[in-house]
Amino acid sequence: MPQLAYVDGRIVPLAQARIPVEDRGLQFADALYEVAAVLNGRLLDWPQHLIRLRRGLAALFIELPISDAALTLQAKRLIAANGHADAIIYLQVSRGVARRDHGFPANSRASLIMTVRRFDFAQRIAQQRTGIAVITVNDMRWRRVDLKTTGLLANVMAKQDARAAGAFEAWLVGPDDIVREGSSTNAWIVKDDVLITHPLSESILAGIARAALLRLAAGAGMTIAERPFTLAEALAADEALLTSTTAPLLPVVTIDGCPIGSGRPGPIAARLAALVWGDIATQTGWQAPA
Ligand SMILES: Cc1ncc(COP(=O)(O)O)c(C=O)c1O
């Protein structure tokens, strides 16, 4: 089955999908995106993704002339047309096409593209058993990374540094030595049974998986602290972990080559992972293959 993409109202073969050269997403990264998980053919936490997208659009004064209901319908149509039970859907809204000029164009119309890619969530269950490595890099991004813009060059460079070092992720550290988040994930530590993550601010993305874990951990009676933590604290933590749409919960067992806690996935990460996958099963009916 050929891969299909959605481009401004039409579903077309991915290989033939095109956007104009003067799309402002391409010229200026004047665009927002969302990535949502599809498990067992069902969208996970979809309303939360829509809320974040709408909030970003409002902050950037981009008007997307499609209702949430119509957008959801089109997303589901594309998912069904691609035919993958387990997938990720990528949405991108740009300010539209206009003669290149930094200021907002007078009459551009926002453009919407969507793609769907098969995704193997079961690989995350395997990685959960071994844990993953992260490295740290300086956070070189602009100051509004709470907006999910397509201007991801600093994240791209950080992820590439991680790959080159044989690590799964790069944690982005501010000049104050605070660990903000990963290049495409949110960062967490556990110390003395307290689950700690950076508070929401303009210097992290409000991850949907982050919100899910906070909700589930609170529901399970865990003590939570949404507060900044330093790299030194992370290195001295009992456990560390990361979350994202494509990595719902992974234990971090080394940071810059230094073992965290026992150097193996810890009991709290295991407990939280069980909650996360339980929530995914409740929402979508997805079960890890035996
Ligand atoms: C910088 C950054 N932080 C955190 C996340 C995790 O967000 P979510 O849980 O919504 O996938 C992402 C996801 O792409 C990201 O790019």
Side-chain angles (χ1 to χ4, degrees):
M1 185 186 281
Q3 283 188 288
L4 302 167
Y6 172 99
V7 183
D8 281 329
R10 295 177 55 226
I11 291 183
V12 293
L14 179 62
Q16 283 154 36
R18 298 280 181 272
I19 52 155
V21 166
E22 288 203 307
D23 188 285
R24 290 178 63 93
L26 179 62
Q27 295 284 341
F28 298 112
D30 189 358
L32 287 168
Y33 75 104
E34 274 299 322
V35 177
V38 177
L39 295 108
N40 196 29
R42 307 224 175 90
L43 280 159
L44 182 73
D45 289 332
W46 179 246
Q48 291 88 324
H49 285 280
L50 285 182
I51 289 168
R52 184 170 66 186
L53 178 65
R54 293 287 178 195
R55 180 185 162 268
L57 291 171
L60 297 179
F61 308 102
I62 296 177
E63 269 181 54
L64 179 63
I66 179 170
S67 67
D68 280 358
L71 177 54
T72 302
L73 203 72
Q74 296 302 334
K76 288 184 174 170
R77 238 181 95 213
L78 184 68
I79 291 163
N82 273 287
H84 307 302
D86 295 344
I88 49 176
I89 180 164
Y90 176 88
L91 285 79
Q92 180 176 314
V93 180
S94 93
R95 199 180 302 280
V97 181
R99 191 175 71 88
R100 191 177 186 286
D101 177 31
H102 285 59
F104 294 175
N107 304 309
S108 74
R109 201 186 131 85
S111 69
L112 170 63
I113 57 177
M114 293 191 270
T115 52
V116 172
R117 194 176 86 200
R118 204 185 78 76
F119 193 82
D120 176 16
F121 287 94
Q123 69 179 305
R124 299 301 187 219
I125 310 264
Q127 284 169 316
Q128 213 166 279
R129 295 197 189 104
T130 54
I132 52 95
V134 306
I135 60 159
T136 60
V137 299
N138 290 332
D139 190 354
M140 298 189 297
R141 302 172 301 166
W142 75 321
R143 296 206 193 95
R144 288 301 308 275
V145 296
D146 56 319
L147 301 173
K148 200 166 168 63
T149 77
T150 59
L152 289 175
L153 192 51
N155 309 58
V156 165
M157 301 300 281
K159 188 74 89 187
Q160 190 53 33
D161 283 349
R163 298 247 163 100
F168 180 86
E169 178 61 301
W171 277 6
L172 311 176
V173 179
D176 45 8
D177 211 33
I178 298 292
V179 176
R180 289 175 175 157
E181 60 182 334
S183 71
S184 64
T185 56
N186 287 111
W188 308 71
I189 57 170
V190 178
K191 186 70 182 176
D192 299 331
D193 292 331
V194 181
L195 182 61
I196 304 166
T197 196
H198 196 289
L200 292 185
S201 74
E202 293 182 351
S203 53
I204 69 160
L205 182 75
I208 305 300
R210 175 188 180 280
L213 184 58
L214 285 174
R215 171 173 54 81
L216 294 166
M222 278 199 70
T223 309
I224 297 165
E226 285 184 76
R227 64 154 178 89
F229 62 88
T230 62
L231 176 55
E233 271 185 278
L235 290 168
D238 300 327
E239 298 185 35
L241 44 129
L242 57 78
T243 55
S244 75
T245 295
T246 56
L249 191 145
L250 287 178
V252 171
V253 292
T254 63
I255 300 176
D256 292 331
C258 305
I260 304 306
S262 66
R264 300 185 44 76
I268 292 182
R271 189 170 157 219
L272 292 172
L275 291 172
V276 164
W277 290 107
D279 180 52
I280 289 171
T282 305
Q283 282 195 52
T284 66
W286 190 86
Q287 296 291 342

